[in-house]
Amino acid sequence: MARKEVIIALDEGTTNAKAVALDNAGKVLVSFSRPLAIQTLHEGWVEQSADLLVDASVDVLSKAIAAVGAGNVAALAISNQRETAVGWYRDNGRPLAAALTWQCSRTAEFCQSLRQEGKEAQIKAVTGLPVAPLFSASKMRWLLESVPNGFALAEQGDICLGTVDSWLLWKLTGGKKFCCDYSNAARTQLLNLHSATWDDGMLALFGIPRSALPDIRPSSGLFGHTSGCKGIPDGIPIMAMIGDSHAALFAHGLGAMGCVKATYGTGSSVMVPVSSAQCDVSALATTVAWHDGDQLVYALEGNIPHTGDAVAWILESTGLDLCPPAEQAQQLSEFPASVDSSLGVYFVPALTGLGAPWWDESARGIICGLSRGVKRAHLVRAALESITYQIADVVMSMRQHSEFSLTALMVDGGPTKNDWLLQYQADLLGCPVMRSDVAELSAVGAALLARKALLQLSVNDLGHYLPAHSIYQPDAYKHERLRKNYEEWNQAVRSVLSN
């Protein structure tokens, strides 16, 4: 192996921290993963230990570095769960509180007050994002409210507020660097999408001092060097940081128009590149896809809180979670195929509310259409179908955008290992579904951006590093038949809406 050609990408997700080492051809050499715990102390509250996010990340990085040899590592790259907010004291790096994850809806009341005050149109026009507790700004406000003199300390620069990328960078560089990338900044609801800077009006509206926020940098470029982390040699450059969904979109096709990306994880992000920040589709977010070091690229996106999480809930509720993981995966493939339909059962997994295109954090989940003949297989099938219906909801909203086109749905994430799920998705949408043959797609995207900066390449130069895809072609007859199912799904969704 040639020296200094391996890039190790840290993919810090909601349920796992994973380090993936890629060689100079972009192939995965080794991968190490460590699970992450989630706490739900109250209804709608979802949090994680900020320290454990770092501990798990450093652990998997150190293992990957040891596996390939520190002398072979050219750079690190980071992709991260988005919108999750972390606050810490600048002098000692101690967290203010737990990290408030993207699923957390504890700030729903504050968000509702913004709507009642008529602020939503202004916020959407400036940031591209609808008002929702999903985004980081209201969470950052809550963190400052949770500690004595929080706002004053933040104003003085004694408190740092950031997304997970900036928290990890701070720790990996020994507190020397406090930065985030454009893609993560765009998810805070504090970035002016048109000027690509922190917006004074949004800072005032949410009560967030500029002095508490990180510097914003391109997703591809030097962020700092490792320093003082056990198991990680000092001096390794960190050459890319990007939100995980954005990284997956980049790794699918480098931002090719017409390729819509859906990441199937705990929740899902459906994202498509667009040429500008202008968007008249109120139900969707306009965001920064990435800054590749040369230019800012925009995207249209819908965020869904509970997709893989809906399946996990069904597994727990039916006792299937007690089976070994391999057996669970087998049952998730066999159960839905063992029955002809869900027998009229629809599961709307609004477990902490509904995201795009409904944006109703007060909505709560429902299983409807139960009859005496319904068995466990029908419930599992309904949970998997709910993923495809929610993805379709966002795609239908995207069709309202003048620039939107759909040539294929590019998919990634753990649930996409389920062939039945992807065929159902293809039949429902009536378009090809293309699954990446590499599971670690967010890591691949971050590594591609790091390699671009290291070797001073163009985006087109990265084409031969892209992983291959498996294709699921739609069945035209089934597509027509599923129109009725989709109508019934929408009726079920409307029954849980709070307004």
Side-chain angles (χ1 to χ4, degrees), residues 425-441:
Q425 185 77 79
D427 293 340
L428 179 65
L429 289 176
C431 78
V433 169
M434 300 176 66
R435 176 183 63 198
S436 169
D437 290 344
V438 175
E440 302 88 351
L441 206 63

Side-chain angles (χ1 to χ4, degrees), residues 175-246:
K176 295 182 176 67
K177 295 295 180 180
F178 184 36
C179 309
C180 68
D181 92 298
Y182 281 99
S183 73
N184 278 289
R187 310 305 296 171
T188 62
Q189 215 149 44
L190 298 173
L191 183 82
N192 186 307
L193 208 58
H194 310 279
S195 66
T197 59
W198 298 126
D199 185 82
D200 289 335
M202 293 300 104
L203 296 179
L205 189 62
F206 287 94
I208 307 299
R210 185 184 293 264
S211 53
L213 294 174
D215 294 331
I216 310 170
R217 295 188 180 179
S219 315
S220 177
L222 179 63
F223 283 87
H225 294 82
T226 56
S227 177
C229 288
K230 185 178 180 181
I232 300 178
D234 291 349
I236 301 176
I238 300 166
M239 297 297 296
M241 298 203 308
I242 183 171
D244 53 8
S245 293
H246 310 248

Side-chain angles (χ1 to χ4, degrees), residues 37-41 45-49 98-101 104 106 142:
I38 298 172
Q39 289 80 41
T40 52
L41 302 180
W45 290 36
V46 188
E47 62 187 47
Q48 294 179 293
S49 164
L100 309 189
T101 79
C104 189
R106 71 184 66 187
W142 189 96

Side-chain angles (χ1 to χ4, degrees), residues 41-63:
L41 302 180
H42 308 284
E43 183 183 355
W45 290 36
V46 188
E47 62 187 47
Q48 294 179 293
S49 164
D51 285 329
L52 288 182
L53 294 183
V54 174
D55 292 345
S57 299
V58 170
D59 178 47
V60 293
L61 280 172
S62 62
K63 288 175 179 174

Side-chain angles (χ1 to χ4, degrees), residues 55-142:
D55 292 345
S57 299
V58 170
D59 178 47
V60 293
L61 280 172
S62 62
K63 288 175 179 174
I65 291 169
V68 301
N72 297 315
V73 178
L76 302 183
I78 296 172
S79 72
N80 60 277
Q81 58 170 300
R82 307 175 308 155
E83 293 101 18
T84 296
V86 186
W88 65 96
Y89 295 100
R90 192 181 290 267
D91 62 346
N92 58 20
R94 182 168 54 85
L96 305 184
L100 309 189
T101 79
W102 55 274
Q103 285 184 312
C104 189
S105 60
R106 71 184 66 187
T107 61
E109 186 176 338
F110 174 75
C111 291
Q112 181 60 23
S113 72
L114 292 177
R115 293 192 199 97
Q116 291 172 345
E117 293 167 10
K119 302 293 186 183
E120 184 154 33
Q122 174 195 357
I123 292 171
K124 184 78 159 56
V126 172
T127 71
L129 307 176
V131 173
L134 166 71
F135 305 110
S136 312
S138 64
K139 295 179 170 68
M140 291 176 175
R141 178 186 178 90
W142 189 96

